[in-house]
Amino acid sequence: MAKTLSDLRDRTEPGTNLLEINDWAASMIRIAGARSCYVDYTPSFGRGPFGKVICTSVNEAVLHGLPHDYVLMDGDLLTLDFAASVNGWVTDSAISFVVGDSSAPGDQHMIETTEKALLAGIHAAQPGARIGDISHAIGSVLESARFRVNSEFGGHGVGSTMHQDPHIPNIGTPGRGYVLRPGLLLAIEPWIMDGTSKLVTAPDGWTLRSSNGRRTAHSEHTIAVTESGPVILTQLV
Ligand code: MF3
Ligand code: CO
């Protein structure tokens, strides 16, 4: 999982087509003996089976970006997000990065804010803590960086399927919600949009964009809650 995302990031450059990234991801998933959780996925928030193995969300697209015939340009802000299962167990992870060399400072700041919020959320996922503690930790980082938080889409339980209870909003009240027990697998995923918390759905029926057309960022890891604290399952070791 982690190796696939970092290899895809390394191979992506100005001139790369989003459809190529999907093809690369499909063959990496196959070679790893894993199965895509996306290709047949037909949730209520999308139109029909997703049909691809990875979400490629560019610039104002933030979540569920359906790969299409688009050639990346220097300075595009790209999010790659995918989930796959190995031996029946799912992991789900996302990274955002700027393609090429000309990166606007605001873009790096957005990316770093979601990464910082992700680490804060993970740190809050101690055994005996509650979902609200994770949400609060994430929301505090996002809000102190002056981003408005959308609570429609967030983290989630993971297991033999990609999306399970509990839902983990990216903002919340400490001490509230489901108690975290050792053995629980969670995907934690802060995401932000510059100057809005409102999403619009693209005509493809999947891709979610910022309502003001400004840039976005998203970072996600799957973790296990253990007796001795959270363990990140989707990080290069
Ligand atoms: N991996 C996404 C999430 O982080 C879900 C993508 S669903 C898809 O929860 F259908 F768009 F692939
Ligand atoms: Co997820």
Side-chain angles (χ1 to χ4, degrees):
M1 163 71 48
K3 176 93 172 71
T4 300
L5 279 178
S6 92
D7 286 354
L8 291 170
R9 175 190 187 141
D10 292 346
R11 286 171 79 164
T12 299
E13 54 188 24
T16 302
N17 193 304
L18 299 180
L19 296 174
E20 277 179 277
I21 297 177
N22 180 68
D23 290 346
W24 295 337
S27 68
M28 290 176 188
I29 291 169
R30 185 168 8 90
I31 288 164
R35 275 186 53 152
S36 167
C37 301
Y38 284 14
V39 72
D40 301 326
Y41 198 46
T42 313
S44 58
F45 56 77
R47 183 187 299 150
F50 190 68
K52 299 284 193 279
V53 302
I54 190 162
C55 294
T56 54
S57 304
V58 183
N59 298 338
E60 75 282 1
V62 61
L63 297 174
H64 311 162
L66 185 65
H68 61 285
D69 185 10
Y70 172 78
V71 176
L72 288 163
M73 293 188 295
D74 197 42
D76 275 345
L77 197 167
L78 176 65
T79 300
L80 299 178
D81 181 355
F82 85 102
S85 64
V86 178
N87 298 328
W89 291 94
V90 172
T91 53
D92 186 3
S93 184
I95 54 171
S96 287
F97 59 94
V98 176
V99 178
D101 316 309
S102 54
S103 157
D107 291 353
Q108 284 307 333
H109 172 67
M110 290 187 79
I111 294 168
E112 282 161 20
T113 300
T114 63
E115 289 172 348
K116 211 171 134 195
L118 175 57
L119 290 181
I122 292 170
H123 184 72
Q126 303 294 336
R130 291 176 181 260
I131 292 296
D133 298 318
I134 301 177
S135 298
H136 176 73
I138 295 170
S140 303
V141 172
L142 302 181
E143 288 193 323
S144 62
R146 311 225 170 281
F147 290 97
R148 276 183 254 160
V149 181
N150 174 307
S151 56
E152 257 172 285
F153 293 93
H156 48 91
V158 171
S160 56
T161 56
M162 170 170 59
H163 285 152
Q164 304 189 352
D165 284 344
H167 172 60
I168 311 174
N170 285 330
I171 190 161
T173 312
R176 297 277 283 272
Y178 190 90
V179 177
L180 309 180
R181 295 203 171 77
L184 188 63
L185 300 179
L186 299 173
I188 300 184
E189 47 181 318
W191 56 276
I192 46 177
M193 304 184 285
D194 184 15
T196 185
S197 60
K198 207 170 165 286
L199 289 166
V200 290
T201 306
D204 65 18
W206 282 100
T207 305
L208 297 175
R209 296 176 174 154
S210 62
S211 62
N212 59 5
R214 282 161 51 187
R215 292 192 168 204
T216 67
H218 176 203
S219 302
E220 177 176 20
H221 274 309
T222 297
I223 66 155
V225 177
T226 76
E227 301 278 0
S228 51
V231 174
I232 302 176
L233 304 177
T234 50
Q235 180 158 268
L236 282 179
V237 278

